[in-house]
């Protein structure tokens, strides 16, 4: 099959530039596509950063005291906030001096200085205007007004530039943070899945995986916005204080400046003492808002099930209770803020300006005129106006610094949340992640703070590093062998991952079996015995605490989950997942290939129902898109075998009415058939399936497994249907934790399943056996009851 592209087929996914090996993607923007360069992932950087985070936890954080159950005293608690900011700054926000954010930050500081300088000039001009106005100097007054309008041009530009750079820095910081966190969160180490098993002994560093969506979106945004706003909220008044104090020293003297600054310092200490713990209040409110948000999201995701069970009353009471807790906390916060706000406004808005008027009038009231000098009232007016404005500006700058304490507390709270997110991501991303089992230091990491290259083989063999510190005595010690021509498990315990390690809950003990390629395995067992857990171990979602797992290469195995997963996209996207349309064409597949597979599994009628493979329930299919919008979603135009194929971005950003999705449009059986279409499309040598036909009729079940048999696919099937036994060679029966039977399915047993009629006869025979066993059970009960009655009568006679 020949493929060519008008705009470069390979560019849509990613391509590398020769100079910096940058990856480039195309982003739709206002009817056109922008080229965005993305640096490739440097995993060495993340390993280096993990050591930094681990060292911080080792130096600054200690586990709970085993005797008192409380946190040990810390002498460095006040510096932890600045240390966290510094770590995030150096690792993510501005990793090197020549980063583009460095230039934006320097420009931002330059504009803040320019704004203060322009404010000083405008203040002097204001005094000059007042002087010329009081002296009835019309020409000079008009000249001053011309200067005023001229100053307005750079002043407006500087003010707008500061706002622009503040938002631009916040966006750049957020981009760096999101990219960094997602590179850790979504990669081959499956952090997004394993995060639910992480555990921290320190309560401040515990992260619920249920609120990870809020941490990655809203909390990162709040952190970046708060940090960049702090530059303007603290930088501008700080610069104002320095510049205005230097200028005022010549007018009111050094003593006056020192008196003003002393007033600021004393009242600032008073405000600091009276200030509530805004950090604690804000952090707790953020956590409670996350709980409230996630529970409402749960109502949206499970609205149909709640309706079937008529659970709306229970859910309403629970929502009210969650919201009441949030509202009660907000009431407490409002009350604490009220008393502080009253005191703060009195000091900052009235006391400081009053002192400003006093110090501005001192030079005029107590200055002794020189001999022969006649005081000029207009000059005194100018001096008073300039001094008053500068002192009031200093008071305003000081008050904004005091107000920024709340901003710092807010930033401190969100910094704690973001840093907790980074700590947990690095803990799980660690190649030695132990699923919650921490080291002896209790800092949440799996290994002690030592570089592995400095650890001797004897120490690793003994399971200890350093001075007798046990690390993996009850941790992960199993062996995984890849590229094995089959599937083998030897003496493997199936354990639910937890901080207890091998002492956690055991589902199965000493699981052992071995099948070669071409030999199908069927796994039977009651619910909760551990069938799905076996698949999780094979796919390396769960740890292998001990034993040997030999399996094919990960590229040769296709896993089918018990719960079907569908994405936002077209019908084609559901079948070729996780590939996209471009990748499908690159692999040599066409729409005709997909339609053929759909016909094989009995889903050909979906094309009549939805019109084509391009149908997308998340798009507005009732109205045709306008030309501009359609062009904006056009990714590429590809020529396949001489035929032009237009490739569109099928992710429209969500459903129009919020109700249409593939999960709701397809029945349970249809969803499972779509999954079988995926299996045929990807055509992997090994397929592991968990309850793949629970919603499919028996006749279609047979045809689907016949297709898989013709494909020479090796099957590992978890099911409760005995009828599938005829398609498998070996049976793994899970009775309980210690009773596991691995047997070969012989011809004597399979003869009952040669046809549907023979299978019915077999099942009828099993029912007759069951009835006979029940009859025998009743007989034994009657005999036992008679025996007990006889013994009771004999005892009664003897007692008489």
């Amino acid at each position: 099959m020949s493929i060519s592209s008008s705009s470069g087929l390979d560019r849509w996914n990613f391509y590398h530039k020769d100079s910096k090996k940058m990856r480039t993607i195309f982003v739709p923007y206002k009817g056109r596509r922008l080229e965005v360069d993305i640096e490739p992932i440097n995993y060495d950087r993340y390993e280096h950063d993990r050591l930094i985070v681990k060292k911080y936890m080792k130096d600054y954080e200690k586990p709970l005291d085993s005797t008192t159950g409380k946190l040990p005293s810390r002498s460095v608690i006040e510096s932890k906030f600045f240390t966290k900011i510094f770590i995030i700054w150096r690792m993510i926000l501005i990793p090197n001096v020549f980063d583009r954010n460095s230039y934006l930050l320097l420009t931002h500081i330059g504009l803040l200085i320019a704004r203060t300088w322009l404010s000083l000039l405008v203040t002097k001009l204001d005094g000059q205007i007042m002087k010329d106005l009081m002296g009835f100097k019309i020409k000079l007054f008009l000249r001053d007004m011309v200067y005023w309008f001229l100053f307005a041009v750079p002043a407006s530009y500087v003010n707008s530039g500061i706002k622009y750079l503040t938002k631009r820095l916040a966006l750049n910081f957020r981009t760096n943070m999101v990219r960094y966190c997602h590179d850790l969160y979504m990669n081959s180490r499956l952090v997004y899945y394993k995060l639910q098993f992480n555990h921290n002994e320190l309560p401040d560093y515990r992260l619920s995986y249920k609120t990870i969506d809020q941490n990655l979106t809203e909390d990162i945004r709040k952190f970046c916005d708060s940090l960049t706003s702090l530059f303007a909220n603290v930088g501008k008044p700080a610069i104002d204080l320095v510049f205005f104090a230097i200028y005022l020293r010549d007018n009111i003297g050094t003593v006056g400046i020192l008196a003003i600054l002393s007033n600021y310092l004393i009242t600032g200490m008073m405000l600091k003492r009276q200030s509530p713990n805004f950090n604690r209040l804000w952090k707790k409110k953020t956590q409670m808002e996350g709980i409230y948000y996630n529970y409402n999201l749960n109502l949206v995701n499970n609205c149909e099930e709640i309706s079937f069970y008529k659970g709306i009353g229970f859910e309403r009471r629970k929502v009210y209770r969650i919201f009441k807790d949030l509202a009660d906390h907000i009431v407490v916060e409002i009350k604490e803020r009220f008393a502080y706000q009253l005191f703060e406004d009195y000091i900052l808005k009235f006391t400081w300006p009053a002192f400003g008027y006093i110090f501005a009038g001192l030079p005029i009231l107590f200055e002794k005129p020189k001999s022969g000098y006649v005081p000029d009232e207009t000059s005194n007016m100018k001096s008073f106006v300039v001094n008053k404005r500068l002192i009031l500006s200093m008071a305003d700058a000081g008050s904004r610094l005091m107000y920024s304490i709340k901003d710092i507390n807010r930033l401190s709270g969100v910094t704690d949340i973001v840093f907790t997110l980074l700590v947990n991501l690095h803990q799980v991303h660690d190649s030695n992640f132990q699923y919650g089992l921490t080291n002896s230091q209790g800092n949440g990491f799996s290994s002690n703070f030592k570089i592995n290259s400095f650890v001797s083989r004897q120490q690793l063999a003994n399971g200890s590093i350093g001075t007798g510190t046990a690390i993996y005595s009850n941790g992960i010690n199993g062996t995984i062998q890849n590229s094995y021509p089959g599937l083998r498990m030897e003496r493997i315990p199936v354990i639910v991952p937890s901080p207890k390690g091998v002492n956690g809950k055991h589902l199965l003990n000493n699981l052992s079996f071995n099948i070669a390629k071409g030999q199908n395995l069927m796994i039977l067992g009651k619910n909760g015995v551990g069938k799905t857990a076996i698949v999780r171990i094979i796919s390396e979602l769960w740890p292998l605490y001990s034993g040997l797992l030999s399996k094919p290469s990960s590229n040769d195995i296709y896993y089918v989950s018990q719960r079907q997963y569908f994405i936002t996209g077209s019908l084609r996207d559901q079948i070729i997942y996780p590939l996209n349309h471009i990748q499908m064409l690159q692999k040599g597949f066409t729409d005709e290939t997909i339609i053929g597979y759909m016909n094989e599994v009995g889903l050909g009628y979906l094309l009549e129902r939805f019109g084509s493979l391009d149908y997308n329930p998340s798009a507005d299919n009732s109205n045709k898109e306008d030309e501009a919008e359609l062009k904006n979603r056009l990714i590429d135009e590809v020529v396949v075998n001489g035929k032009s194929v237009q490739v569109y971005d099928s992710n429209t950003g969500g459903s129009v009415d919020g109700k249409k999705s593939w999960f709701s449009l397809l029945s349970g059986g249809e969803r499972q058939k779509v999954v079988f279409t995926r299996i045929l499309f990807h055509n992997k040598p090994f397929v592991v399936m968990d309850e793949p036909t629970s919603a499919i009729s028996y006749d279609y079940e047979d045809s689907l497994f016949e297709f898989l048999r013709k494909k020479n696919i090796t099957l590992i099937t978890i099911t409760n249907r005995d009828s599938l036994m005829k398609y498998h060679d070996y049976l793994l029966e899970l009775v309980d934790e210690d009773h596991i039977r691995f047997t070969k399915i012989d011809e004597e047993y399979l003869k009952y399943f040669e046809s549907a009629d023979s299978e019915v006869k077999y099942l009828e025979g099993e029912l007759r056996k069951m009835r006979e066993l029940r009859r025998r059970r009743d007989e034994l009960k009657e005999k036992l009851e008679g025996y007990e009655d006889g013994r009771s009568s004999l005892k009664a006679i003897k007692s008489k």
Side-chain angles (χ1 to χ4, degrees):
M1 184 177 71
S2 61
I3 301 177
S4 62
S5 171
S6 60
S7 61
L9 182 64
D10 296 334
R11 293 197 305 168
W12 171 246
N13 297 316
F14 289 112
Y15 71 86
H16 295 277
K17 293 187 175 181
D18 295 334
S19 58
K20 297 183 180 180
K21 294 185 178 180
M22 302 277 285
R23 296 186 300 174
T24 300
I25 62 174
F26 293 85
V27 179
Y29 177 74
K30 292 184 178 180
R32 56 194 178 93
R33 292 195 172 270
L34 303 178
E35 293 188 13
V36 178
D37 293 335
I38 299 180
E39 295 182 0
I41 300 175
N42 182 6
Y43 287 107
D44 291 337
R45 169 192 176 189
Y46 299 119
E47 294 301 319
H48 170 268
D49 293 348
R50 178 175 57 84
L51 295 178
I52 295 176
V53 176
K54 186 186 292 187
K55 186 176 187 302
Y56 171 87
M57 297 295 291
K58 175 178 179 290
D59 294 341
Y60 286 84
E61 302 294 352
K62 302 296 180 183
L64 295 175
D65 192 296
S66 58
T67 57
T68 63
K70 298 180 180 180
L71 291 173
S73 58
R74 300 184 179 96
S75 59
V76 292
I77 190 169
E78 293 296 333
S79 64
K80 282 169 39 176
F81 164 66
F82 299 102
T83 306
K84 291 178 181 179
I85 287 288
F86 179 74
I87 290 175
I88 297 175
W89 187 276
R90 290 297 306 273
M91 287 197 318
I92 306 173
L93 302 182
I94 303 183
N96 57 75
V97 178
F98 299 102
D99 189 84
R100 61 175 181 173
N101 290 336
S102 297
Y103 303 115
L104 289 177
L105 184 59
L106 291 175
T107 307
H108 191 271
I109 295 173
L111 289 180
L112 289 175
I113 296 174
R115 179 177 168 180
T116 300
W117 179 67
L118 287 172
S119 298
L120 187 59
L121 293 180
V122 169
T123 300
K124 295 171 64 176
L125 179 60
D126 189 23
Q128 185 65 39
I129 290 175
M130 183 62 66
K131 175 184 176 181
D132 294 336
L133 184 62
M134 298 301 293
F136 300 101
K137 300 175 181 179
I138 304 301
K139 292 183 178 180
L140 296 179
F141 173 75
L142 295 176
R143 181 201 63 184
D144 296 337
M145 295 306 300
V146 173
Y147 288 159
W148 182 275
F149 284 106
L150 291 177
F151 274 130
V153 177
S156 300
Y157 179 84
V158 168
N159 289 331
S160 300
I162 290 174
K163 294 178 181 178
Y164 169 79
L165 288 176
T166 300
K167 295 184 179 298
R168 183 62 186 271
L169 266 176
L171 178 60
N172 286 1
F173 285 170
R174 185 180 180 184
T175 301
N176 288 0
M177 288 289 299
V178 169
R179 172 78 194 280
Y180 187 93
C181 292
H182 277 80
D183 285 347
L184 289 173
Y185 184 64
M186 304 180 68
N187 61 13
S188 58
R189 295 187 181 179
L190 307 179
V191 175
Y192 60 90
Y193 175 82
K194 298 177 181 179
L195 193 65
Q196 60 184 304
F197 302 109
N198 196 34
H199 175 75
N200 283 283
E201 293 184 23
L202 297 172
D204 291 342
Y205 289 92
R206 290 174 186 168
L207 182 71
S208 174
Y209 73 95
K210 295 181 180 180
T211 61
I212 190 67
D213 53 346
Q214 181 182 358
N215 301 136
L216 289 170
T217 54
E218 191 66 16
D219 291 336
I220 287 181
R221 182 192 65 80
K222 290 179 180 178
F223 169 76
C224 297
D225 290 345
S226 299
L227 182 60
T228 51
S229 298
L230 197 65
F231 294 149
N233 295 340
V234 175
K236 174 61 169 64
I239 295 173
D240 287 349
L241 282 176
V242 174
F243 274 70
F244 295 159
I246 293 174
Y247 183 82
L248 276 173
R249 189 177 65 86
D250 298 331
N251 294 347
I252 64 176
T254 305
V255 177
I257 289 296
L258 291 177
I260 293 175
L261 295 179
S262 299
N263 173 46
Y264 294 165
L265 180 61
I266 294 173
T267 52
M269 293 174 62
M270 294 171 59
L271 290 173
K272 175 65 176 176
R273 183 180 296 273
Q274 296 295 327
S275 174
N277 191 339
F278 291 111
N279 178 11
R280 175 184 57 81
L281 293 172
W282 189 89
K283 185 177 180 180
K284 185 176 181 180
K285 184 177 73 171
T286 302
Q287 293 172 347
M288 298 179 75
E289 285 177 343
I291 295 173
Y292 179 63
Y293 167 80
N294 279 280
Y295 195 80
N296 280 278
L297 185 63
N298 173 69
L299 295 178
V300 175
N301 294 335
N302 302 285
C303 57
E304 184 172 303
E305 289 78 6
I306 294 172
S307 300
F308 282 147
Y309 288 113
K310 299 184 178 359
I312 189 62
F314 174 84
E315 302 295 340
R316 182 173 59 248
R317 290 191 297 271
K318 194 165 185 179
V319 169
Y320 284 169
R321 186 168 63 252
I322 294 174
F323 180 76
K324 184 179 182 302
D325 293 339
L326 175 61
D328 291 343
H329 175 76
I330 294 176
V331 169
V332 173
E333 181 180 353
I334 292 173
K335 290 180 179 179
E336 291 195 19
R337 285 182 180 273
F338 174 75
Y340 175 76
Q341 194 75 41
L342 183 66
F343 181 67
E344 184 184 49
D345 286 350
Y346 180 79
I347 295 293
L348 301 183
K349 294 185 177 180
F350 298 98
T351 304
W352 284 12
F355 277 98
Y357 281 109
I358 294 173
F359 287 113
L362 288 179
I364 300 175
L365 296 175
F366 298 100
E367 183 180 8
K368 295 181 180 180
K370 299 179 181 179
S371 58
Y373 173 76
V374 178
D376 186 0
E377 294 180 358
T378 58
S379 298
N380 288 338
M381 179 62 69
K382 175 185 176 182
S383 177
F384 176 78
V385 170
V386 172
N387 292 343
K388 184 200 73 171
R389 285 203 55 171
L390 290 178
I391 292 177
L392 291 180
S393 297
M394 284 186 65
D396 180 66
S399 64
R400 279 185 283 131
L401 280 177
M402 292 297 103
Y403 284 129
S404 65
I405 292 177
K406 290 181 288 187
D407 297 332
I408 294 175
N409 285 328
R410 182 175 181 271
L411 176 61
S412 176
V414 74
T415 300
D416 289 342
I417 295 175
V418 171
F419 193 79
T420 297
L421 171 65
L422 293 174
V423 168
N424 281 266
L425 291 178
H426 276 291
Q427 287 172 346
V428 181
H429 190 263
D430 189 347
S431 58
N432 296 319
F433 177 60
Q434 296 287 310
Y435 290 79
L437 177 63
T438 184
N439 58 11
S440 60
Q441 297 168 353
N443 58 27
F445 284 88
S446 302
S447 58
N448 286 327
F449 185 70
K450 284 185 176 291
I451 301 177
N452 292 336
S453 59
F454 294 141
V455 180
S456 67
R457 293 188 177 183
Q458 183 179 3
Q459 288 174 321
L460 288 176
N462 295 334
S464 62
I465 294 178
T467 58
T469 304
I471 295 181
Y472 301 138
S473 58
N474 61 341
I476 302 172
N477 295 303
T479 302
I480 298 178
Q481 176 190 2
N482 291 304
S483 301
Y484 180 75
L487 182 64
R488 175 176 62 184
M489 285 186 165
E490 292 186 6
R491 301 183 65 83
I492 292 178
V494 179
I495 305 173
V496 179
S498 71
K500 297 180 180 179
V502 297
N503 298 319
K505 181 181 180 181
H506 284 235
L507 299 177
L508 299 170
N509 289 324
N510 294 324
L511 176 63
S512 299
F513 66 85
N514 187 9
I515 61 170
K517 184 178 182 181
Q519 296 177 340
N520 299 333
L521 174 66
M522 181 175 175
I523 303 177
L524 284 176
K526 60 183 180 180
N527 294 336
V529 74
K531 303 190 298 295
T532 304
I534 296 177
V535 180
R536 291 169 181 156
I537 290 180
I538 297 174
S539 60
E540 300 182 42
L541 295 180
W542 280 17
L544 186 65
Y545 285 105
S546 63
L548 171 66
L549 169 63
S550 302
K551 51 179 266 189
S553 171
S554 298
N555 295 327
D556 294 334
I557 307 178
Y558 191 82
Y559 298 94
V560 175
S561 173
Q562 187 173 358
R563 181 180 180 184
Q564 301 82 36
Y565 175 67
F566 294 92
I567 62 172
T568 301
S570 63
L571 178 58
R572 180 192 302 104
D573 294 331
Q574 313 312 312
I575 297 173
I576 66 177
Y577 180 81
L579 302 180
N580 57 37
H581 197 180
I582 290 288
Q583 292 171 329
M584 182 198 84
L585 296 175
Q586 288 175 328
K587 288 182 175 292
F589 295 103
T590 62
D591 286 352
E592 287 73 18
T593 308
I594 298 176
I595 294 173
Y597 291 143
M598 292 178 64
N599 290 327
E600 284 185 339
V601 301
L603 288 180
Y605 62 89
L606 291 183
L607 294 175
E608 298 180 4
R609 183 192 300 178
F610 300 120
S612 69
L613 291 174
D614 291 316
Y615 176 82
N616 187 348
S618 298
D620 188 1
N621 296 280
S622 59
N623 300 319
K624 292 185 177 180
E625 298 177 285
D626 55 37
E627 236 177 273
E629 185 177 356
L630 199 62
K631 183 179 179 182
N632 187 41
R633 293 204 301 110
L634 179 64
I635 295 174
D636 211 338
E637 189 166 352
V638 184
V639 179
V640 181
N641 293 332
K643 182 179 179 181
S644 178
V645 178
Q646 290 184 330
V647 180
Y648 292 92
D649 183 5
S650 59
N651 185 7
T652 60
S655 177
V656 173
D657 56 10
K659 298 179 181 178
K660 291 183 179 180
S661 65
W662 285 111
F663 200 87
S664 61
L665 290 177
L666 301 176
S667 66
E670 289 173 336
R671 292 195 293 267
Q672 290 186 335
K673 290 179 184 178
V674 169
V675 173
F676 272 90
T677 312
R678 288 180 186 171
I679 295 174
L680 296 176
F681 173 80
H682 290 285
N683 194 26
K684 299 288 186 179
F686 290 81
V687 176
V688 181
M689 300 182 290
D690 190 356
E691 298 287 352
T693 58
S694 58
I696 297 178
S697 60
Y698 283 94
D699 54 344
Y700 257 110
E701 181 183 69
D702 289 335
S703 62
L704 292 174
F705 273 84
E706 284 293 341
F707 288 141
L708 298 183
R709 175 183 286 180
K710 292 177 182 178
K711 291 278 187 179
N712 296 321
I713 297 175
T714 302
L715 304 176
I716 296 92
T717 309
I718 295 176
T719 182
N720 286 319
R721 289 189 174 185
D722 292 337
S723 57
L724 291 178
M725 199 172 296
K726 56 180 173 289
Y727 300 105
H728 297 80
D729 304 295
Y730 289 90
L731 176 65
L732 182 66
E733 285 187 275
L734 310 178
V735 181
D736 54 36
E737 181 180 340
D738 297 310
H739 295 84
I740 303 171
R741 292 193 293 267
F742 176 66
T743 57
K744 182 175 176 59
I745 302 175
D746 53 19
E747 296 295 331
E748 187 68 23
Y749 193 81
L750 284 178
K751 68 181 182 180
Y752 297 106
F753 300 96
E754 292 177 352
S755 65
D757 293 336
S758 60
E759 185 176 347
V760 170
K761 291 180 181 179
Y762 168 77
L763 295 175
E764 289 176 349
E766 292 295 311
L767 289 174
R768 284 194 297 270
K769 292 180 182 178
M770 184 65 66
R771 286 194 291 268
E772 180 65 24
L773 290 174
R774 289 177 178 174
R775 187 186 62 77
R776 179 59 179 165
R777 182 194 62 185
D778 295 338
E779 289 179 358
L780 292 174
K781 282 184 176 181
E782 291 177 0
K783 290 181 179 180
L784 289 173
E785 289 175 356
Y787 175 72
E788 292 295 333
D789 293 341
R791 290 189 62 183
S792 301
S793 301
L794 183 61
K795 287 181 180 179
I797 294 172
K798 289 181 177 181
S799 63
K800 292 180 179 179

